[in-house]
Amino acid sequence: EVQLVESGGGLVQPGGSLRLSCAASGFTFSSYEMNWVRQAPGKGLEWVSYISSSGSTIYYADSVKGRFTISRDNAKNSLYLQMNSLRAEDTAVYYCARVRKWLQNYYYYYYMDVWGKGTTVTVSS
Amino acid sequence: EIVLTQSPGTLSLSPGERATLSCRASQSVSSSYLAWYQQKPGQAPRLLIYGASSRATGIPDRFSGSGSGTDFTLTISRLEPEDFAVYYCQQYGSSLFTFGGGTKVEIK
């Protein structure tokens, strides 16, 4: 079964740090690009960060650039999000999601087809 | 950055009715980069539609997507009780992924 399981969430004070993990199983993790997406309480979805299959290409949303670092360990089938200088507005459920990218009829298709159940991060004093 | 605006914010309908959800982009989006997701309370999002009009695996054919350029639509032909949820459109472009604000489909 294709599965993503996030962990590492919790309560942290403003200015603190947290490292989220996402364990992948049931597919060849090293072949897929990955995203982190978050959802603040009662709000919509917000893309956070992207990493290519090899880890060589990384993108961040402006809201987290310079504070968050995405990484992966393909040998361990794991994705990570190191979150530093946390703010109250970073409070959210954090999801990891598998990115599907494929070519058909000269067009690339790009979407997120598998999601984990999420891990909750609360930034509060 | 491309902004996606979904409307209406809330759609109040009865089971069996047709739902039409709109997603408008601030600039042209490649159809192959436009997806729709369904999210129920306490659950992760679920992929419904990719490439603007292709149903994901296991998605019933009452769900359909259409559109191009800046205007995209998700249609649910006949609402089933399990379809009442929040729906998000999402696009990829210029090294960014962006989501619309969501449309909540609620029971009237």
Side-chain angles (χ1 to χ4, degrees):
Chain A
E1 179 192 4
V2 173
Q3 198 170 11
L4 296 170
V5 179
E6 302 93 338
S7 61
L11 174 63
V12 61
Q13 292 189 338
S17 298
L18 214 53
R19 189 196 195 204
L20 305 183
S21 299
C22 170
S25 60
F27 64 99
T28 305
F29 178 71
S30 59
S31 297
Y32 288 87
E33 302 160 29
M34 297 293 295
N35 273 339
W36 284 100
V37 176
R38 68 184 180 182
Q39 186 169 37
K43 302 296 184 183
L45 301 170
E46 179 189 17
W47 168 75
V48 172
S49 185
Y50 158 94
I51 188 168
S52 63
S53 56
S54 67
S56 61
T57 300
I58 285 172
Y59 306 136
Y60 296 101
D62 286 345
S63 58
V64 307
K65 204 173 293 184
R67 301 186 299 122
F68 289 11
T69 302
I70 191 172
S71 63
R72 65 190 297 160
D73 185 336
N74 286 341
K76 294 183 177 180
N77 293 329
S78 293
L79 174 72
Y80 305 101
L81 186 67
Q82 177 66 43
M83 303 186 296
N84 297 332
S85 303
L86 282 161
R87 306 165 180 167
E89 54 265 35
D90 296 317
T91 294
V93 176
Y94 285 73
Y95 298 100
C96 61
R98 187 176 80 172
V99 177
R100 281 298 307 275
K101 178 183 178 182
W102 53 285
L103 181 65
Q104 183 180 54
N105 297 333
Y106 306 105
Y107 288 98
Y108 271 108
Y109 289 79
Y110 227 161
Y111 51 91
M112 291 173 266
D113 68 336
V114 179
W115 296 65
K117 291 185 179 346
T119 188
T120 300
V121 172
T122 303
V123 184
S124 175
S125 55
Chain B
E1 178 185 334
I2 296 177
V3 176
L4 299 179
T5 302
Q6 291 188 241
S7 61
T10 302
L11 202 48
S12 298
L13 295 168
S14 301
E17 289 192 293
R18 182 185 188 90
T20 303
L21 288 65
S22 171
C23 175
R24 182 159 291 176
S26 58
Q27 53 188 282
S28 186
V29 170
S30 172
S31 295
S32 65
Y33 289 168
L34 195 287
W36 290 92
Y37 302 85
Q38 176 193 66
Q39 188 180 34
K40 297 179 180 179
Q43 296 185 17
R46 171 195 181 198
L47 175 68
L48 293 178
I49 300 287
Y50 65 90
S53 60
S54 297
R55 274 187 301 277
T57 304
I59 300 303
D61 60 7
R62 63 180 181 273
F63 290 91
S64 63
S66 63
S68 64
T70 59
D71 289 299
F72 297 89
T73 300
L74 175 69
T75 302
I76 311 171
S77 59
R78 286 177 58 85
L79 283 163
E80 297 288 340
E82 62 268 27
D83 298 337
F84 292 92
V86 180
Y87 294 84
Y88 295 94
C89 58
Q90 172 258 314
Q91 70 87 36
Y92 168 79
S94 302
S95 306
L96 294 174
F97 294 78
T98 53
F99 289 91
T103 290
K104 181 180 181 180
V105 178
E106 65 175 22
I107 299 177
K108 186 175 181 181

